[in-house]
Amino acid sequence: FEIFNRLKVNIVELTGNHNLDVGEQPYLNSLKWYKDHNMKYFGGGASPAEANKPLIIELKDNRKIAWIGFNEFCPLGECADKKMGANRYVEAKAKKLIDSLRNEVKVDYILACVQYGEVDSYSPTSNQKKISQKLIDFGADVVLGSQAHQAQEIALYKGKIIFYGLGNFMFDQIHRLGVRQAFFLECYFYKGKIIQFQPVYT
């Protein structure tokens, strides 16, 4: 957590499959810590409604962007199906959320983050492709895969970019080349749109 402070983190994605590893109260303590340190979060929460709630940010030019997050499999029982945890991916729920952001909230740009099933491959799985393309079909502007332990392919679909996996960050894997490769993604906004993506490889 101190590293988060040093990095000046202000947004945290909570779609991960390890966020309930040490139990419910530590998870709630973490949510409180984020709030106490002015860090906004999305993709997870203390209830199913909070987990599915988008994070809407207003830019300096009054344009609005939204962050949404999902977990594909929830293999460790970490999803907020009844209580706290990550926001499980359900196609109809994702479509409803994006429709609401587009037609009711009137956001200018939607960033969708997904914790896919983990795979040790530079290439995405067929499910990664299917979900990513569906999210863009529903109206997302970019899809970011946050599960990958190694960097994965970058793709164009209907003129929009899919980053299937950004790779490890502050993780303890060093046993092979793939898990030591990753990238940060710098996103430059202008008039409510990302006009440039700049991967910074590590």
Side-chain angles (χ1 to χ4, degrees):
F1 284 111
E2 180 54 34
I3 291 173
F4 282 16
N5 278 330
R6 293 185 187 185
L7 291 174
K8 297 180 171 60
V9 168
N10 55 14
I11 296 176
V12 178
E13 177 193 347
L14 297 177
T15 64
N17 61 311
H18 290 288
N19 51 31
L20 288 173
D21 279 2
V22 292
E24 294 181 357
Q25 191 56 52
Y27 181 74
L28 295 174
N29 293 346
S30 297
L31 299 183
K32 182 179 184 304
W33 189 90
Y34 296 139
K35 292 174 184 175
D36 290 346
H37 290 81
N38 298 314
M39 296 179 192
K40 296 176 171 54
Y41 56 80
F42 70 98
S47 67
E50 185 180 48
N52 192 49
K53 184 179 178 181
L55 172 60
I56 299 170
I57 303 289
E58 191 166 307
L59 303 178
K60 291 179 180 178
D61 60 2
N62 298 320
R63 308 292 178 110
K64 290 186 287 190
I65 62 171
W67 294 87
I68 58 176
F70 304 98
N71 186 306
E72 177 187 5
F73 284 132
C74 308
L76 304 175
E78 68 276 19
C79 276
D81 296 328
K82 295 182 179 177
K83 297 197 290 185
M84 64 196 71
N87 187 32
R88 184 186 293 274
Y89 176 78
V90 177
E91 190 174 290
K93 180 172 71 172
K95 184 178 188 307
K96 182 178 179 181
L97 179 60
I98 293 172
D99 283 347
S100 170
L101 289 169
R102 283 287 179 217
N103 302 317
E104 297 171 28
V105 185
K106 306 289 186 185
V107 300
D108 297 280
Y109 204 88
I110 299 173
L111 301 98
C113 299
V114 186
Q115 172 89 8
Y116 296 104
E118 294 172 11
V119 58
D120 291 333
S121 170
Y122 294 113
S123 300
T125 65
S126 59
N127 261 15
Q128 282 182 271
K129 293 179 181 178
K130 178 183 175 183
I131 292 172
S132 299
Q133 292 173 5
K134 278 287 185 184
L135 289 169
I136 288 175
D137 288 341
F138 295 155
D141 293 292
V142 62
V143 179
L144 307 166
S146 54
Q147 81 300 333
H149 287 298
Q150 66 183 58
Q152 290 187 293
E153 293 173 7
I154 300 170
L156 271 177
Y157 174 72
K158 295 185 176 179
K160 296 183 177 179
I161 301 184
I162 300 169
F163 297 90
Y164 283 112
L166 278 60
N168 280 332
F169 174 59
M170 294 196 304
F171 209 69
D172 62 356
Q173 292 182 339
I174 58 169
H175 59 285
R176 61 181 174 79
L177 178 62
V179 296
R180 297 195 300 271
Q181 297 172 326
F183 62 94
F184 298 98
L185 188 62
E186 295 182 354
C187 304
Y188 296 89
F189 283 88
Y190 180 71
K191 293 187 176 180
K193 308 289 183 187
I194 292 180
I195 58 169
Q196 184 182 38
F197 294 100
Q198 179 65 50
V200 179
Y201 292 93
T202 66

